[in-house]
Amino acid sequence: MAKYQPPKQSGMGQAFDAIFLLVLVFLALLVPLEMELAGAAKGDWLPGEVKVETATDGTTVVSNDKGLIKRTAPDGTVSFENLTWEALEQTPVMQAQWEKLGIDLEGAAAAITLRYDYSFSWGGLIATLAAIGAYFIFLVWQSDKEYRQVIAEKFGSRS
């Protein structure tokens, strides 16, 4: 019985495959960025009971039951009123760690009060599962087809 010899691919074919895969990877990384689908959304947060209002000038005002007020202007600038470490629920140890990082109260407040939004979307989950399922169906179908070709080359086709 003859030893199986796989088909040979030319150097140009290999180069094309490598470049094509690099382009696909680049597009897979770029398209979500261009469609603004990458990264998690962030939302305003304050410790305690929170009330959110929109001022007549378009400024978003977030206040809590401890008197801390965060104002976000339409141009994105953020300001705080009644800002203290205690209002942010930061212990003295936490405060010391912020200071070791070289971050002052305003900088820490900006980081602490801007949290990721972990909302859930059933549509997104279903679309992701459908894409993964379609990929695996394609993978099995293509592998089966190639496996049958290899068996036919090695042992001959069924008659």
Side-chain angles (χ1 to χ4, degrees):
M1 191 175 292
K3 185 177 178 186
Y4 174 72
Q5 294 292 330
K8 300 285 183 195
Q9 184 179 26
S10 69
M12 285 298 289
Q14 291 178 14
F16 174 79
D17 285 350
I19 292 169
F20 182 70
L21 287 174
L22 283 173
V23 168
L24 287 178
V25 168
F26 178 77
L27 289 174
L29 296 171
L30 179 67
V31 169
L33 289 175
E34 292 297 323
M35 294 178 64
E36 297 182 3
L37 297 173
K42 290 187 174 184
D44 285 326
W45 175 88
L46 293 176
E49 295 292 322
V50 178
K51 184 171 76 171
V52 179
E53 299 171 336
T54 303
T56 55
D57 63 352
T59 301
T60 303
V61 180
V62 182
S63 58
N64 70 0
D65 55 350
K66 297 177 183 180
L68 179 59
I69 298 171
K70 178 181 181 181
R71 296 181 189 278
T72 307
D75 65 357
T77 57
V78 177
S79 62
F80 294 94
E81 295 175 20
N82 305 323
L83 183 60
T84 63
W85 289 110
E86 293 76 24
L88 291 171
E89 295 184 348
Q90 298 294 296
T91 65
V93 173
M94 293 171 163
Q95 178 183 349
Q97 296 303 317
W98 284 108
E99 290 170 356
K100 282 182 185 177
L101 291 170
I103 300 173
D104 63 352
L105 180 59
E106 288 278 332
I112 292 168
T113 63
L114 195 59
R115 297 247 172 133
Y116 285 106
D117 177 15
Y118 292 104
S119 58
F120 181 77
S121 166
W122 281 103
L125 176 65
I126 291 169
T128 301
L129 292 176
I132 292 170
Y135 169 74
F136 279 111
I137 289 170
F138 169 77
L139 187 68
V140 169
W141 173 73
Q142 191 66 27
S143 296
D144 180 64
K145 189 169 101 174
E146 290 179 7
Y147 177 73
R148 290 179 189 275
Q149 287 175 349
V150 169
I151 296 299
E153 286 179 19
K154 177 114 175 125
F155 299 108
S157 61
R158 290 184 186 174
S159 301

